Amino acid sequence: MKKVILMGAALCALTTFSCSKDKDSTVTPTVVAQIDPVALSAGMKVGYAATSVTGNIPAASTSADAPVLDSLYDNVTYYAISNRYIVIRPSILSGDVQGYYIQVNGAKSYYKIDYTTARNLRKAQKAASSKHSSAKEGDNSDSSIVIKLPANLVTDTFSISYAAYNANNQVSNSINAIIAVASSDSASNSLVTGNWRRNRYGNGIDDWNEDTIKYNNPDTSFYSYYNCNENGIYYYYYAPQGSQAIDRLPYYIQGYTNNDYSFQGKSQFTNTYGYIYKYINTGASSCSNYVYYDNSYIETYNGGYTYDAKTKTLIIIWDGDGYDNSNLYVDTYKVLSVTNQKMILVSYSNNDNHDELSYDYYEFKKL
């Protein structure tokens, strides 16, 4: 929680304030910025055409037919950025699910998500299927809880509770989720600001899987032998009699042109990814002119990011720059080191049994 000294009085619906008096009797307004759960609940948007209901979410049912949520996910922390999406993917141990109840803890109302009438932020769930299974990180399948945060939230933490219900209104156990929010431009972001190109990756700081990635220098080592005549070129095994042998040719050509990460102001993130992929077009080629099908591409992906220098945590939210939650991903990295020339990121993930971590290391060079 951070304190900000203001020169004048400024009020915001999502902050609370206190004032102190110094020994010279000069009033210094001191703002303790906090997320107000009531204002937050009123200002956020919840996907699947969620409706707001006054009161608290219903208590868990005692029926054995009620859905059961995996308590392993209780009090899990999710990272978010002001004015962007949070996606929570509940893990369901048993039972059918028609929707969810979700409440910002401390708010005076809750939201009811009904997948059978879903609209607004996400497409409707297919009516033929109401049973949902656990979704892995990065798989934004139906049964997710999708929340669009309001703009201009302060850096703070809040929590929500959610519970599933079935067609008979039987309610599951409640799960608590902790949401760590970064403002739209954290103070630490400037430490990683700039354009970076992935240089290499590996399993450890001294265990890189490959040498430096070569950009705009495609690999032509995948070759075969061909013959040719006036009608074109042929793989040598199928070449007609009388055709002329050709020295070996690359039958496909591939390599990177870009894999660049751009971290800019206002938490704007862009990944530019380009790849060369060409393969021989025997029908269009001749003895003197070799033609390739060209499936090369370059694509741009937008999102948001935040960096916390104290914890050395870099969060990238792939959400179409805050406008797309249909295929939302969240990547969490530890910044092992960052200079004005090089940055090393480490990502980690649990296995399916949550008893072993795997690590991936990425080295970036500044452009």
Side-chain angles (χ1 to χ4, degrees):
M1 190 179 301
K2 64 180 182 180
K3 293 186 178 181
V4 182
I5 307 299
L6 297 185
M7 298 304 294
L11 298 181
C12 174
L14 294 174
T15 58
T16 60
F17 302 86
S18 66
C19 293
S20 62
K21 199 172 185 179
D22 65 19
K23 61 183 180 180
D24 296 323
S25 299
T26 301
V27 176
T28 304
T30 302
V31 179
V32 181
Q34 292 180 304
I35 294 176
D36 177 0
V38 176
L40 172 61
S41 183
M44 71 186 195
K45 297 179 181 178
V46 180
Y48 287 111
T51 55
S52 180
V53 183
T54 301
N56 297 318
I57 61 176
S61 302
T62 57
S63 171
D65 296 327
V68 178
L69 299 181
D70 191 345
S71 60
L72 182 65
Y73 292 87
D74 198 29
N75 292 316
V76 167
T77 298
Y78 298 82
Y79 295 94
I81 299 175
S82 173
N83 201 35
R84 294 185 182 276
Y85 291 99
I86 306 166
V87 175
I88 297 173
R89 303 172 178 88
S91 180
I92 302 165
L93 295 180
S94 63
D96 293 338
V97 173
Q98 181 168 312
Y100 287 92
Y101 299 116
I102 174 174
Q103 184 167 31
V104 177
N105 292 327
K108 298 178 181 179
S109 61
Y110 65 93
Y111 285 91
K112 180 180 181 180
I113 302 170
D114 186 347
Y115 292 122
T116 62
T117 59
R119 61 183 186 273
N120 295 340
L121 294 180
R122 301 194 60 203
K123 293 181 179 180
Q125 168 198 25
K126 292 182 179 180
S129 175
S130 61
K131 188 171 184 177
H132 308 287
S133 61
S134 170
K136 294 182 179 179
E137 184 73 11
D139 175 20
N140 193 17
S141 58
D142 289 334
S143 81
S144 297
I145 296 171
V146 180
I147 302 169
K148 178 70 177 294
L149 291 177
N152 301 318
L153 284 180
V154 296
T155 299
D156 197 8
T157 299
F158 69 94
S159 64
I160 64 173
S161 296
Y162 62 88
Y165 67 90
N166 61 20
N168 294 321
N169 290 320
Q170 295 166 328
V171 182
S172 74
N173 54 312
S174 179
I175 300 295
N176 192 64
I178 300 170
I179 314 298
V181 179
S183 66
S184 60
D185 211 357
S186 74
S188 300
N189 281 2
S190 61
L191 299 176
V192 298
T193 296
N195 299 314
W196 303 83
R197 174 164 288 177
R198 183 186 288 190
N199 193 47
R200 56 182 179 169
Y201 60 92
N203 298 316
I205 193 65
D206 297 316
D207 185 18
W208 299 104
N209 288 343
E210 60 177 276
D211 294 330
T212 300
I213 298 172
K214 297 178 181 178
Y215 291 91
N216 296 303
N217 186 18
D219 187 352
T220 60
S221 64
F222 302 93
Y223 62 86
S224 189
Y225 293 91
Y226 297 87
N227 284 19
C228 75
N229 60 21
E230 66 277 6
N231 295 319
I233 68 173
Y234 306 87
Y235 180 58
Y236 78 97
Y237 189 81
Y238 301 104
Q241 290 185 349
S243 59
Q244 173 186 345
I246 306 174
D247 288 338
R248 64 185 189 181
L249 295 175
Y251 62 86
Y252 71 83
I253 299 170
Q254 63 178 3
Y256 293 98
T257 61
N258 305 82
N259 193 1
D260 305 335
Y261 283 27
S262 178
F263 301 98
Q264 300 301 331
K266 297 184 178 180
S267 295
Q268 300 296 310
F269 166 76
T270 302
N271 172 223
T272 302
Y273 184 88
Y275 201 79
I276 296 171
Y277 183 72
K278 301 179 180 181
Y279 59 98
I280 193 73
N281 182 344
T282 56
S285 297
S286 67
C287 294
S288 59
N289 183 36
Y290 307 130
V291 178
Y292 286 79
Y293 294 105
D294 191 350
N295 287 341
S296 306
Y297 61 90
I298 185 166
E299 297 177 342
T300 299
Y301 306 94
N302 297 311
Y305 78 100
T306 183
Y307 177 52
D308 185 336
K310 291 183 179 180
T311 62
K312 298 187 180 299
T313 301
L314 175 66
I315 307 295
I316 298 176
I317 299 178
W318 307 73
D319 63 356
D321 203 17
Y323 294 99
D324 177 23
N325 66 85
S326 61
N327 193 25
L328 186 148
Y329 293 78
V330 178
D331 287 334
T332 303
Y333 299 96
K334 287 293 183 181
V335 180
L336 192 63
S337 64
V338 58
T339 68
N340 59 359
Q341 295 180 332
K342 184 171 69 175
M343 177 167 60
I344 297 178
L345 306 180
V346 183
S347 68
Y348 52 91
S349 58
N350 274 303
N351 63 7
D352 290 341
N353 294 325
H354 297 272
D355 58 6
E356 184 178 350
L357 285 174
S358 61
Y359 297 86
D360 294 299
Y361 287 69
Y362 304 93
E363 181 185 82
F364 290 81
K365 290 291 185 68
K366 201 162 194 178
L367 295 175

